[in-house]
Amino acid sequence: QVQLVESGGGLVQPGGSLRLSCAASGGTLSDHAIVWFRQVPGKEREGVSCMRERDGSSYNADPGRFVMSVDNAKNTMFLQMNSLRPEDTGHYYCAVRLPRPADHGCSWYPGYKYDIWGQGIQVTVSS
């Protein structure tokens, strides 16, 4: 069973950068659709970025500021966040979708289920 452990959150000033990490054990990230979600106060959970290395699929809600990547040697996914704004403040989660027959690509629409979740990590953007 895949397990995910997040790190790298914290407090950063507006305009600053953070890199979130999500280390996986018990499975290989490149075999799965993987995603970063966030829960911003007062809003519903929203997708930030997803990818599936096996077929090269990826989506990014803000490609000018956020970059998702995977280090296969470390079996760890990352979310590099740049030019952070106060409205980026929230709880960030990584998640993995277990393989399904004929599954491909990645998504964050409500019916596209992710099965394994990290514990979540707080990001606060404030001066």
Side-chain angles (χ1 to χ4, degrees), residues 95-111:
V96 165
R97 177 176 168 93
L98 296 177
R100 290 161 169 78
D103 210 22
H104 62 87
C106 69
S107 178
W108 54 67
Y109 78 87

Side-chain angles (χ1 to χ4, degrees), residues 13-69:
Q13 293 189 340
S17 297
L18 277 177
R19 188 176 78 158
L20 304 183
S21 300
C22 177
S25 60
T28 302
L29 287 176
S30 61
D31 292 340
H32 302 81
I34 57 178
V35 67
W36 286 98
F37 284 101
R38 69 182 184 184
Q39 183 77 54
V40 175
K43 297 178 66 176
E44 293 187 357
R45 187 180 70 197
E46 58 187 5
V48 177
S49 187
C50 70
M51 63 189 299
R52 184 191 291 265
E53 274 208 318
R54 187 168 291 273
D55 62 18
S57 302
S58 66
Y59 294 100
N60 191 320
D62 196 342
R65 297 191 302 132
F66 296 166
V67 179
M68 183 177 182
S69 62

Side-chain angles (χ1 to χ4, degrees), residues 51-127:
M51 63 189 299
R52 184 191 291 265
E53 274 208 318
R54 187 168 291 273
D55 62 18
S57 302
S58 66
Y59 294 100
N60 191 320
D62 196 342
R65 297 191 302 132
F66 296 166
V67 179
M68 183 177 182
S69 62
V70 174
D71 184 330
N72 290 317
K74 297 180 179 179
N75 208 27
T76 300
M77 69 171 101
F78 301 97
L79 183 67
Q80 177 68 42
M81 304 187 294
N82 302 316
S83 302
L84 284 162
R85 306 163 181 163
E87 54 264 38
D88 295 317
T89 293
H91 221 63
Y92 285 69
Y93 299 87
C94 60
V96 165
R97 177 176 168 93
L98 296 177
R100 290 161 169 78
D103 210 22
H104 62 87
C106 69
S107 178
W108 54 67
Y109 78 87
Y112 194 86
K113 181 184 177 185
Y114 286 87
D115 305 288
I116 310 295
W117 290 75
Q119 81 279 11
I121 196 160
Q122 179 67 27
V123 171
T124 302
V125 185
S126 175
S127 54

